[in-house]
Amino acid sequence: MCLAIPMKVSAIKGFNATCEAKGVSREVSLHLVQGLEVKVGDYVMVHVGYALQVITYDEAQVTWEMLDQVIAYDA
């Protein structure tokens, strides 16, 4: 099973972006979303260091809520 995490783009330099989620910052490759216009402030789904798609703020929030429920259930 694969898991992608929604993250907010905070900086872009070439095909790399600094993305943040829940206090964690990561360098993320934008190579897989080259055809899309990714801007600072956008949300992306990230899997193993690659942005897979651009999503809306609402989609990011719903995904975080579901992930929080999974974490709470497992505890």
Side-chain angles (χ1 to χ4, degrees):
M1 176 171 74
C2 297
L3 179 64
I5 304 296
M7 300 187 85
K8 184 177 183 179
V9 177
S10 59
I12 298 174
K13 185 174 181 181
F15 285 108
N16 293 311
T18 302
C19 297
E20 301 173 352
K22 297 203 173 212
V24 175
S25 181
R26 294 282 185 259
E27 290 299 312
V28 174
S29 172
L30 299 176
H31 281 284
L32 297 178
V33 291
Q34 288 184 57
L36 304 175
E37 185 178 332
V38 181
K39 306 176 297 300
V40 170
D42 283 349
Y43 288 83
V44 291
M45 291 298 284
V46 177
H47 175 66
V48 294
Y50 288 89
L52 301 177
Q53 70 183 69
V54 179
I55 61 173
T56 66
Y57 170 80
D58 291 335
E59 291 169 322
Q61 291 299 351
V62 167
T63 304
W64 273 116
E65 289 171 12
M66 288 189 295
L67 291 171
D68 287 342
Q69 289 175 7
V70 168
I71 291 167
Y73 179 77
D74 191 45

